[in-house]
Amino acid sequence: MRFSINIPNFGDFADPRTVAKVAVAAEEAGWDGLFVWDHVVHRKHEGRPFGDPWMLLTAAALATSRIRLGTLVTPVARRRPQQLARQVATLDAVSGGRVTFGAGLGGPIEDEYASFGDTTDTRVLAERLDEGLELLRRYWSGEPVHHDGRHYRVRDVTLLPATVQRPRPPVWVAGFWPNRPPMRRAARWDGVVPLFTDARHGHVPPVDQVRDLVAYVRKQREDGPSDAPFDIVLGGATPGGDAAGTRAVIGPLAEAGATWWDERQIQTSEAIDRLAPVLRRIEQGPPHL
């Protein structure tokens, strides 16, 4: 199992220099990754500054050399695929091939889409997500792209340079379990970042639900390459100063199939966007199973 730190892109973490400080601390303490949110608007956190995730991650990349970097998660349907492809490819170059791309519908839907006059029809957004992901894959290849789809059209465009990672950076897809469509989408890519309706951000997911999810995703991947790596990314807040307590939380999830533990704060915490508690948890180091 590998271990990452998860931070929002607002509050203290809207400043790229602060995110670089977090990244350096995480790398020095032995963590394996740093992932940031990708929000433009979040009504629950109005009045706070927001930073562009790709600028934040670029600062983190320039300050580190080992940890993986990415978003959890980017709403692909809210982005222009060609612009997003360039941002990810540029970060992959700057970081020396350390990008993991997290994708999903994003939300809250009313905040992120309706606020700007966009549709809130989740079926349309899901179509844009799937079509956008396929375009990203093709753009990252460095090969010519000609595309005539339901939502996007491309006329013989080649975006260079291609990503450092070949054939592309790993793509993790998020979605709420037990909803099946997002899990089937994730099974077509490189990992799943499941969210749970009864274990919101920062809360540890129930082991029985994790087992059911892992079994379902593995079933969906039966027709794919048997040796293809696939990540199960779980997260929550653990008692960093209590090694035994942390092992008791994460151990059963690792046995159920989790490959990454993403250390988070409780979403309703007033300190979710504050640097000090994040640094304290980072300095305690990742769990040792």
Side-chain angles (χ1 to χ4, degrees):
M1 180 176 266
R2 302 175 76 182
F3 303 94
S4 58
I5 293 293
N6 181 292
I7 56 174
N9 64 315
F10 52 79
D12 289 350
F13 307 110
D15 187 335
R17 292 162 293 193
T18 299
V19 175
K21 183 176 182 178
V22 170
V24 169
E27 186 163 273
E28 291 178 349
W31 295 83
D32 300 300
L34 172 68
F35 296 102
V36 304
W37 300 10
D38 186 346
H39 287 292
V40 173
V41 173
H42 201 297
R43 299 297 183 192
K44 290 183 179 179
H45 303 285
E46 279 187 313
R48 304 181 189 188
F50 279 65
D52 178 83
W54 305 108
M55 296 294 288
L56 302 179
L57 289 168
T58 296
L62 292 170
T64 58
S65 62
R66 178 185 59 80
I67 58 172
R68 295 202 67 82
L69 303 164
T71 52
L72 285 182
V73 295
T74 288
V76 174
R78 179 165 57 72
R79 302 273 189 162
R80 292 184 180 273
Q82 64 270 24
Q83 182 181 22
L84 184 56
R86 289 299 81 209
Q87 290 168 318
V88 176
T90 300
L91 180 62
D92 205 42
V94 169
S95 66
R98 292 187 281 136
V99 173
T100 297
F101 182 67
L105 288 185
I109 298 294
E110 289 295 325
D111 294 358
E112 295 281 344
Y113 293 94
S115 296
F116 303 99
D118 205 345
T119 182
T120 58
D121 186 332
T122 54
R123 290 173 297 180
V124 172
L125 296 177
E127 290 174 355
R128 278 161 48 179
L129 170 57
D130 285 328
E131 193 174 338
L133 281 172
E134 179 59 22
L135 275 174
L136 289 173
R137 181 191 66 78
R138 296 172 66 187
Y139 285 141
W140 289 335
S141 73
E143 299 295 326
V145 176
H146 184 89
H147 178 81
D148 190 6
R150 180 185 293 270
H151 299 284
Y152 305 108
R153 290 174 177 79
V154 185
R155 296 290 177 263
D156 295 318
V157 172
T158 303
L159 297 185
L160 295 174
T163 53
V164 171
Q165 296 177 87
R166 309 302 298 153
R168 53 173 171 75
V171 174
W172 293 346
V173 177
F176 275 96
W177 176 258
N179 296 342
R180 267 46 176 182
M183 303 303 118
R184 292 195 292 271
R185 176 181 297 115
R188 299 194 294 268
W189 296 92
D190 309 299
V192 62
V193 187
L195 309 172
F196 299 83
T197 55
D198 52 357
R200 294 294 182 168
H201 185 92
H203 294 277
V204 177
V207 177
D208 59 340
Q209 292 190 34
V210 172
R211 292 195 188 99
D212 291 344
L213 176 143
V214 170
Y216 182 81
V217 172
R218 286 176 176 169
K219 179 69 175 176
Q220 300 304 306
R221 288 179 56 80
E222 283 184 352
D223 294 335
S226 60
D227 60 344
F230 189 83
D231 284 307
I232 308 291
V233 185
L234 302 180
T238 60
D242 178 2
T246 300
R247 285 195 296 271
V249 169
I250 300 180
L253 299 173
E255 292 174 2
T259 62
W260 277 81
W261 177 259
D262 189 46
E263 186 69 25
R264 303 167 183 171
Q265 295 192 83
I266 302 297
Q267 188 165 7
T268 54
S269 168
E270 289 297 320
I272 192 168
D273 62 345
R274 297 293 176 253
L275 174 63
V278 169
L279 284 182
R280 282 197 299 270
R281 181 63 190 90
I282 288 172
E283 290 165 0
Q284 292 169 336
H288 297 288
L289 300 185

